[in-house]
Amino acid sequence: MSTKEVYIAIAIAVAITFFIRMFPLFFFSKRDTIPKIVKDLGVLLPYSMMGLLIIYCLRSMRFDSLAGFVPLTVASLVTAGSYLWKRKSILSIVLGTAVYMFLIQQVFVG
């Protein structure tokens, strides 16, 4: 791929992303109320996405050795516990990731 083609691909990605982000603003700006289905999606999708992310992160858990499940289990518990404690999503994600990385790189070195 030439440099020109890379810039064209980036411009297309930017334009599509911009359109996707701005579409709801243009579509719903003329209305006084937001449709019920859109409100329902706004309430339900964050929880659905978190459930999907949990399944995605834990899909590789193996129970044939301690290194297969202890780091994931401990990091998940730290993430959930820190969220329940402080109610800060980014803090919980960063803390859980840090604990997981520490465990797989320092404790359960394979």
Side-chain angles (χ1 to χ4, degrees):
M1 225 183 194
S2 70
T3 306
K4 182 180 177 182
E5 291 171 332
V6 170
Y7 288 137
I8 291 172
I10 291 171
I12 291 171
V14 167
I16 291 171
T17 302
F18 180 78
F19 175 75
I20 290 170
R21 302 287 180 167
M22 291 296 131
F23 179 74
L25 295 175
F26 295 129
F27 187 73
F28 294 120
S29 64
K30 306 248 187 296
R31 295 180 175 212
D32 292 334
T33 60
I34 297 175
K36 184 179 180 332
I37 192 164
V38 174
K39 285 183 183 179
D40 291 344
L41 286 174
V43 171
L44 294 175
L45 279 180
Y47 298 110
S48 302
M49 293 309 300
M50 288 306 293
L52 184 66
L53 286 171
I54 290 168
I55 292 169
Y56 178 78
C57 290
L58 299 180
R59 78 189 189 289
S60 64
M61 188 180 287
R62 296 179 332 267
F63 294 98
D64 55 352
S65 68
L66 287 177
F69 70 92
V70 171
L72 284 169
T73 304
V74 171
S76 297
L77 291 173
V78 167
T79 302
S82 64
Y83 180 76
L84 291 173
W85 176 45
K86 288 290 188 178
R87 299 280 185 207
K88 303 251 186 243
S89 297
I90 194 73
L91 173 70
S92 301
I93 292 167
V94 169
L95 192 58
T97 302
V99 167
Y100 177 73
M101 295 308 290
F102 174 79
L103 288 174
I104 65 169
Q105 292 179 4
Q106 301 298 323
V107 179
F108 293 98
V109 178

Short mmCIF file of all heavy atoms in Angstrom, two decimals, residues 44-92:
data_model
loop_
_atom_site.label_atom_id
_atom_site.label_comp_id
_atom_site.label_asym_id
_atom_site.label_seq_id
_atom_site.Cartn_x
_atom_site.Cartn_y
_atom_site.Cartn_z
N LEU A 44 -30.35 -0.27 28.21
CA LEU A 44 -29.98 -1.69 28.20
C LEU A 44 -28.61 -1.98 27.60
O LEU A 44 -27.93 -2.92 28.03
CB LEU A 44 -31.04 -2.49 27.44
CG LEU A 44 -32.42 -2.54 28.08
CD1 LEU A 44 -33.39 -3.26 27.18
CD2 LEU A 44 -32.36 -3.20 29.44
N LEU A 45 -28.19 -1.24 26.60
CA LEU A 45 -26.94 -1.57 25.90
C LEU A 45 -25.68 -1.51 26.77
O LEU A 45 -24.82 -2.38 26.63
CB LEU A 45 -26.78 -0.69 24.67
CG LEU A 45 -27.57 -1.15 23.45
CD1 LEU A 45 -27.34 -0.19 22.28
CD2 LEU A 45 -27.23 -2.55 23.05
N PRO A 46 -25.53 -0.54 27.67
CA PRO A 46 -24.31 -0.56 28.48
C PRO A 46 -24.16 -1.85 29.30
O PRO A 46 -23.07 -2.42 29.38
CB PRO A 46 -24.45 0.66 29.40
CG PRO A 46 -25.33 1.58 28.63
CD PRO A 46 -26.29 0.69 27.89
N TYR A 47 -25.25 -2.34 29.88
CA TYR A 47 -25.18 -3.58 30.65
C TYR A 47 -24.92 -4.78 29.74
O TYR A 47 -24.16 -5.69 30.10
CB TYR A 47 -26.48 -3.79 31.44
CG TYR A 47 -26.73 -2.69 32.44
CD1 TYR A 47 -27.76 -1.78 32.25
CD2 TYR A 47 -25.91 -2.55 33.55
CE1 TYR A 47 -27.98 -0.77 33.17
CE2 TYR A 47 -26.12 -1.54 34.47
CZ TYR A 47 -27.16 -0.65 34.28
OH TYR A 47 -27.38 0.35 35.17
N SER A 48 -25.53 -4.77 28.58
CA SER A 48 -25.30 -5.86 27.62
C SER A 48 -23.85 -5.89 27.17
O SER A 48 -23.25 -6.96 27.05
CB SER A 48 -26.21 -5.70 26.41
OG SER A 48 -27.55 -5.68 26.79
N MET A 49 -23.29 -4.72 26.90
CA MET A 49 -21.90 -4.66 26.45
C MET A 49 -20.94 -5.11 27.55
O MET A 49 -19.94 -5.77 27.28
CB MET A 49 -21.55 -3.25 25.99
CG MET A 49 -22.28 -2.83 24.72
SD MET A 49 -22.17 -4.00 23.36
CE MET A 49 -20.42 -4.08 23.09
N MET A 50 -21.23 -4.75 28.80
CA MET A 50 -20.37 -5.20 29.90
C MET A 50 -20.42 -6.72 30.03
O MET A 50 -19.40 -7.37 30.24
CB MET A 50 -20.78 -4.53 31.21
CG MET A 50 -20.42 -3.07 31.28
SD MET A 50 -18.67 -2.73 30.96
CE MET A 50 -17.91 -3.46 32.37
N GLY A 51 -21.61 -7.29 29.90
CA GLY A 51 -21.72 -8.75 29.94
C GLY A 51 -20.95 -9.41 28.81
O GLY A 51 -20.25 -10.41 29.01
N LEU A 52 -21.04 -8.83 27.63
CA LEU A 52 -20.31 -9.34 26.48
C LEU A 52 -18.79 -9.24 26.70
O LEU A 52 -18.04 -10.17 26.38
CB LEU A 52 -20.72 -8.58 25.23
CG LEU A 52 -20.12 -9.03 23.91
CD1 LEU A 52 -20.63 -10.42 23.56
CD2 LEU A 52 -20.49 -8.05 22.82
N LEU A 53 -18.34 -8.15 27.25
CA LEU A 53 -16.91 -7.97 27.53
C LEU A 53 -16.41 -8.95 28.59
O LEU A 53 -15.29 -9.46 28.50
CB LEU A 53 -16.62 -6.54 27.97
CG LEU A 53 -16.65 -5.50 26.86
CD1 LEU A 53 -16.56 -4.09 27.46
CD2 LEU A 53 -15.53 -5.72 25.87
N ILE A 54 -17.23 -9.23 29.59
CA ILE A 54 -16.84 -10.21 30.61
C ILE A 54 -16.67 -11.59 29.98
O ILE A 54 -15.67 -12.28 30.22
CB ILE A 54 -17.88 -10.24 31.75
CG1 ILE A 54 -17.78 -8.95 32.56
CG2 ILE A 54 -17.67 -11.45 32.65
CD1 ILE A 54 -18.93 -8.74 33.52
N ILE A 55 -17.62 -11.98 29.16
CA ILE A 55 -17.52 -13.28 28.48
C ILE A 55 -16.29 -13.31 27.57
O ILE A 55 -15.55 -14.30 27.55
CB ILE A 55 -18.81 -13.57 27.69
CG1 ILE A 55 -19.96 -13.81 28.67
CG2 ILE A 55 -18.63 -14.76 26.75
CD1 ILE A 55 -21.32 -13.85 28.02
N TYR A 56 -16.06 -12.23 26.85
CA TYR A 56 -14.91 -12.17 25.95
C TYR A 56 -13.60 -12.29 26.72
O TYR A 56 -12.68 -12.99 26.31
CB TYR A 56 -14.94 -10.86 25.16
CG TYR A 56 -13.76 -10.68 24.23
CD1 TYR A 56 -13.71 -11.34 23.02
CD2 TYR A 56 -12.69 -9.86 24.57
CE1 TYR A 56 -12.64 -11.20 22.17
CE2 TYR A 56 -11.61 -9.70 23.73
CZ TYR A 56 -11.59 -10.36 22.52
OH TYR A 56 -10.53 -10.23 21.69
N CYS A 57 -13.50 -11.61 27.85
CA CYS A 57 -12.26 -11.64 28.62
C CYS A 57 -12.02 -12.99 29.30
O CYS A 57 -10.87 -13.41 29.45
CB CYS A 57 -12.27 -10.53 29.68
SG CYS A 57 -12.12 -8.88 28.98
N LEU A 58 -13.07 -13.65 29.70
CA LEU A 58 -12.91 -14.91 30.44
C LEU A 58 -13.01 -16.14 29.56
O LEU A 58 -12.93 -17.26 30.05
CB LEU A 58 -13.95 -14.98 31.56
CG LEU A 58 -13.87 -13.87 32.62
CD1 LEU A 58 -14.96 -14.06 33.65
CD2 LEU A 58 -12.50 -13.81 33.25
N ARG A 59 -13.14 -15.97 28.26
CA ARG A 59 -13.32 -17.11 27.36
C ARG A 59 -12.09 -18.02 27.29
O ARG A 59 -12.20 -19.19 26.99
CB ARG A 59 -13.68 -16.63 25.96
CG ARG A 59 -12.49 -16.13 25.16
CD ARG A 59 -12.87 -15.47 23.86
NE ARG A 59 -11.73 -15.19 23.05
CZ ARG A 59 -10.82 -14.25 23.29
NH1 ARG A 59 -10.91 -13.51 24.36
NH2 ARG A 59 -9.81 -14.07 22.47
N SER A 60 -10.93 -17.47 27.57
CA SER A 60 -9.70 -18.26 27.45
C SER A 60 -9.30 -18.92 28.77
O SER A 60 -8.22 -19.49 28.86
CB SER A 60 -8.56 -17.38 26.95
OG SER A 60 -8.28 -16.37 27.91
N MET A 61 -10.16 -18.88 29.77
CA MET A 61 -9.83 -19.47 31.07
C MET A 61 -9.72 -20.98 30.95
O MET A 61 -10.59 -21.64 30.40
CB MET A 61 -10.89 -19.09 32.10
CG MET A 61 -10.52 -19.50 33.51
SD MET A 61 -11.78 -19.06 34.72
CE MET A 61 -11.57 -17.30 34.80
N ARG A 62 -8.61 -21.52 31.45
CA ARG A 62 -8.37 -22.96 31.45
C ARG A 62 -8.20 -23.41 32.90
O ARG A 62 -7.62 -22.70 33.72
CB ARG A 62 -7.10 -23.30 30.68
CG ARG A 62 -7.15 -22.96 29.22
CD ARG A 62 -5.83 -23.30 28.50
NE ARG A 62 -4.65 -23.27 29.35
CZ ARG A 62 -3.84 -22.21 29.51
NH1 ARG A 62 -4.11 -21.09 28.89
NH2 ARG A 62 -2.78 -22.28 30.28
N PHE A 63 -8.66 -24.60 33.20
CA PHE A 63 -8.58 -25.11 34.56
C PHE A 63 -7.58 -26.25 34.69
O PHE A 63 -7.61 -26.98 35.67
CB PHE A 63 -9.97 -25.56 35.04
CG PHE A 63 -10.93 -24.41 35.17
CD1 PHE A 63 -11.84 -24.14 34.17
CD2 PHE A 63 -10.90 -23.60 36.28
CE1 PHE A 63 -12.72 -23.09 34.28
CE2 PHE A 63 -11.77 -22.53 36.40
CZ PHE A 63 -12.68 -22.28 35.40
N ASP A 64 -6.67 -26.38 33.72
CA ASP A 64 -5.70 -27.46 33.78
C ASP A 64 -4.47 -27.09 34.62
O ASP A 64 -3.69 -27.97 34.99
CB ASP A 64 -5.27 -27.90 32.38
CG ASP A 64 -4.75 -26.75 31.54
OD1 ASP A 64 -4.85 -25.59 31.97
OD2 ASP A 64 -4.25 -27.02 30.43
N SER A 65 -4.29 -25.81 34.91
CA SER A 65 -3.20 -25.38 35.79
C SER A 65 -3.62 -24.10 36.50
O SER A 65 -4.56 -23.43 36.10
CB SER A 65 -1.92 -25.12 34.97
OG SER A 65 -2.10 -23.99 34.14
N LEU A 66 -2.91 -23.77 37.57
CA LEU A 66 -3.22 -22.55 38.31
C LEU A 66 -3.05 -21.30 37.45
O LEU A 66 -3.82 -20.35 37.57
CB LEU A 66 -2.34 -22.43 39.56
CG LEU A 66 -2.66 -23.37 40.71
CD1 LEU A 66 -1.66 -23.18 41.83
CD2 LEU A 66 -4.07 -23.14 41.21
N ALA A 67 -2.06 -21.32 36.58
CA ALA A 67 -1.81 -20.16 35.72
C ALA A 67 -2.93 -19.94 34.71
O ALA A 67 -3.05 -18.86 34.14
CB ALA A 67 -0.48 -20.33 34.98
N GLY A 68 -3.77 -20.95 34.52
CA GLY A 68 -4.86 -20.84 33.55
C GLY A 68 -6.07 -20.11 34.07
O GLY A 68 -6.85 -19.56 33.30
N PHE A 69 -6.26 -20.10 35.41
CA PHE A 69 -7.47 -19.45 35.91
C PHE A 69 -7.26 -18.49 37.08
O PHE A 69 -8.06 -17.59 37.28
CB PHE A 69 -8.52 -20.51 36.31
CG PHE A 69 -8.18 -21.30 37.53
CD1 PHE A 69 -8.61 -20.90 38.77
CD2 PHE A 69 -7.46 -22.47 37.42
CE1 PHE A 69 -8.32 -21.65 39.89
CE2 PHE A 69 -7.16 -23.22 38.52
CZ PHE A 69 -7.59 -22.81 39.78
N VAL A 70 -6.18 -18.63 37.83
CA VAL A 70 -5.98 -17.75 38.99
C VAL A 70 -5.80 -16.28 38.58
O VAL A 70 -6.46 -15.41 39.15
CB VAL A 70 -4.82 -18.25 39.87
CG1 VAL A 70 -4.46 -17.23 40.94
CG2 VAL A 70 -5.18 -19.58 40.51
N PRO A 71 -4.94 -15.95 37.60
CA PRO A 71 -4.81 -14.52 37.25
C PRO A 71 -6.13 -13.89 36.78
O PRO A 71 -6.46 -12.78 37.19
CB PRO A 71 -3.78 -14.52 36.11
CG PRO A 71 -3.02 -15.78 36.28
CD PRO A 71 -3.99 -16.76 36.84
N LEU A 72 -6.88 -14.59 35.95
CA LEU A 72 -8.16 -14.06 35.48
C LEU A 72 -9.17 -13.92 36.61
O LEU A 72 -9.89 -12.92 36.70
CB LEU A 72 -8.74 -14.96 34.39
CG LEU A 72 -8.08 -14.85 33.02
CD1 LEU A 72 -8.55 -15.97 32.11
CD2 LEU A 72 -8.40 -13.51 32.40
N THR A 73 -9.21 -14.90 37.49
CA THR A 73 -10.16 -14.86 38.61
C THR A 73 -9.82 -13.73 39.57
O THR A 73 -10.70 -12.95 39.96
CB THR A 73 -10.17 -16.21 39.34
OG1 THR A 73 -10.47 -17.25 38.41
CG2 THR A 73 -11.18 -16.22 40.47
N VAL A 74 -8.55 -13.61 39.94
CA VAL A 74 -8.14 -12.56 40.88
C VAL A 74 -8.36 -11.19 40.26
O VAL A 74 -8.89 -10.28 40.92
CB VAL A 74 -6.66 -12.76 41.30
CG1 VAL A 74 -6.15 -11.57 42.09
CG2 VAL A 74 -6.51 -14.04 42.10
N ALA A 75 -7.97 -11.01 39.01
CA ALA A 75 -8.15 -9.71 38.34
C ALA A 75 -9.64 -9.36 38.22
O ALA A 75 -10.02 -8.20 38.41
CB ALA A 75 -7.49 -9.72 36.98
N SER A 76 -10.48 -10.35 37.95
CA SER A 76 -11.92 -10.10 37.86
C SER A 76 -12.49 -9.68 39.22
O SER A 76 -13.31 -8.76 39.31
CB SER A 76 -12.66 -11.34 37.36
OG SER A 76 -12.25 -11.66 36.06
N LEU A 77 -12.05 -10.35 40.26
CA LEU A 77 -12.51 -10.00 41.60
C LEU A 77 -12.03 -8.62 42.02
O LEU A 77 -12.77 -7.85 42.64
CB LEU A 77 -12.06 -11.06 42.61
CG LEU A 77 -12.72 -12.43 42.47
CD1 LEU A 77 -12.07 -13.44 43.40
CD2 LEU A 77 -14.21 -12.33 42.72
N VAL A 78 -10.79 -8.28 41.68
CA VAL A 78 -10.27 -6.95 41.98
C VAL A 78 -11.05 -5.88 41.22
O VAL A 78 -11.42 -4.84 41.77
CB VAL A 78 -8.75 -6.86 41.65
CG1 VAL A 78 -8.25 -5.42 41.65
CG2 VAL A 78 -7.96 -7.69 42.65
N THR A 79 -11.34 -6.15 39.96
CA THR A 79 -12.10 -5.19 39.15
C THR A 79 -13.50 -4.99 39.73
O THR A 79 -13.95 -3.86 39.93
CB THR A 79 -12.21 -5.68 37.69
OG1 THR A 79 -10.89 -5.85 37.17
CG2 THR A 79 -12.96 -4.69 36.84
N ALA A 80 -14.19 -6.08 40.03
CA ALA A 80 -15.55 -5.98 40.57
C ALA A 80 -15.53 -5.33 41.96
O ALA A 80 -16.35 -4.46 42.26
CB ALA A 80 -16.19 -7.37 40.64
N GLY A 81 -14.58 -5.74 42.79
CA GLY A 81 -14.50 -5.18 44.14
C GLY A 81 -14.18 -3.70 44.15
O GLY A 81 -14.79 -2.92 44.90
N SER A 82 -13.25 -3.29 43.31
CA SER A 82 -12.90 -1.87 43.27
C SER A 82 -14.05 -1.04 42.69
O SER A 82 -14.25 0.11 43.11
CB SER A 82 -11.62 -1.64 42.48
OG SER A 82 -11.78 -2.01 41.13
N TYR A 83 -14.81 -1.61 41.77
CA TYR A 83 -15.98 -0.87 41.25
C TYR A 83 -17.04 -0.73 42.34
O TYR A 83 -17.62 0.35 42.51
CB TYR A 83 -16.58 -1.55 40.02
CG TYR A 83 -17.76 -0.76 39.51
CD1 TYR A 83 -17.57 0.42 38.80
CD2 TYR A 83 -19.05 -1.15 39.80
CE1 TYR A 83 -18.64 1.17 38.36
CE2 TYR A 83 -20.14 -0.41 39.37
CZ TYR A 83 -19.93 0.76 38.66
OH TYR A 83 -20.99 1.51 38.25
N LEU A 84 -17.30 -1.79 43.07
CA LEU A 84 -18.29 -1.71 44.15
C LEU A 84 -17.84 -0.75 45.24
O LEU A 84 -18.66 -0.10 45.89
CB LEU A 84 -18.53 -3.10 44.75
CG LEU A 84 -19.25 -4.09 43.83
CD1 LEU A 84 -19.29 -5.48 44.47
CD2 LEU A 84 -20.65 -3.61 43.52
N TRP A 85 -16.53 -0.65 45.44
CA TRP A 85 -15.99 0.22 46.48
C TRP A 85 -16.05 1.69 46.08
O TRP A 85 -16.53 2.53 46.81
CB TRP A 85 -14.56 -0.22 46.79
CG TRP A 85 -13.82 0.62 47.77
CD1 TRP A 85 -14.29 1.10 48.97
CD2 TRP A 85 -12.48 1.07 47.66
NE1 TRP A 85 -13.31 1.81 49.58
CE2 TRP A 85 -12.18 1.81 48.81
CE3 TRP A 85 -11.50 0.90 46.70
CZ2 TRP A 85 -10.95 2.40 49.03
CZ3 TRP A 85 -10.27 1.48 46.92
CH2 TRP A 85 -10.00 2.21 48.07
N LYS A 86 -15.54 2.04 44.89
CA LYS A 86 -15.41 3.43 44.48
C LYS A 86 -16.42 3.88 43.42
O LYS A 86 -16.56 5.08 43.18
CB LYS A 86 -14.00 3.70 43.94
CG LYS A 86 -12.93 3.73 45.00
CD LYS A 86 -13.09 4.95 45.85
CE LYS A 86 -11.92 5.10 46.78
NZ LYS A 86 -12.01 6.29 47.59
N ARG A 87 -17.07 2.94 42.72
CA ARG A 87 -18.01 3.28 41.64
C ARG A 87 -17.38 4.11 40.52
O ARG A 87 -17.98 5.00 39.97
CB ARG A 87 -19.24 4.02 42.19
CG ARG A 87 -20.04 3.27 43.18
CD ARG A 87 -20.95 2.30 42.51
NE ARG A 87 -21.80 1.67 43.53
CZ ARG A 87 -22.31 0.48 43.40
NH1 ARG A 87 -22.08 -0.21 42.31
NH2 ARG A 87 -23.04 -0.03 44.33
N LYS A 88 -16.13 3.79 40.21
CA LYS A 88 -15.40 4.47 39.14
C LYS A 88 -14.95 3.40 38.14
O LYS A 88 -14.07 2.59 38.42
CB LYS A 88 -14.18 5.21 39.68
CG LYS A 88 -14.50 6.21 40.74
CD LYS A 88 -14.30 7.58 40.20
CE LYS A 88 -14.47 8.61 41.28
NZ LYS A 88 -15.55 9.49 41.07
N SER A 89 -15.56 3.41 36.96
CA SER A 89 -15.29 2.38 35.96
C SER A 89 -13.84 2.38 35.52
O SER A 89 -13.21 1.32 35.44
CB SER A 89 -16.19 2.57 34.75
OG SER A 89 -17.53 2.42 35.11
N ILE A 90 -13.30 3.54 35.19
CA ILE A 90 -11.94 3.59 34.66
C ILE A 90 -10.93 3.12 35.70
O ILE A 90 -9.99 2.41 35.38
CB ILE A 90 -11.60 5.00 34.09
CG1 ILE A 90 -10.34 4.95 33.24
CG2 ILE A 90 -11.45 6.00 35.18
CD1 ILE A 90 -10.53 4.28 31.92
N LEU A 91 -11.14 3.49 36.96
CA LEU A 91 -10.26 3.03 38.03
C LEU A 91 -10.31 1.51 38.14
O LEU A 91 -9.27 0.86 38.26
CB LEU A 91 -10.66 3.68 39.36
CG LEU A 91 -9.93 3.15 40.60
CD1 LEU A 91 -8.47 3.60 40.57
CD2 LEU A 91 -10.62 3.62 41.85
N SER A 92 -11.49 0.94 38.08
CA SER A 92 -11.65 -0.51 38.19
C SER A 92 -10.98 -1.23 37.04
O SER A 92 -10.29 -2.24 37.23
CB SER A 92 -13.12 -0.87 38.23
OG SER A 92 -13.75 -0.26 39.32
#
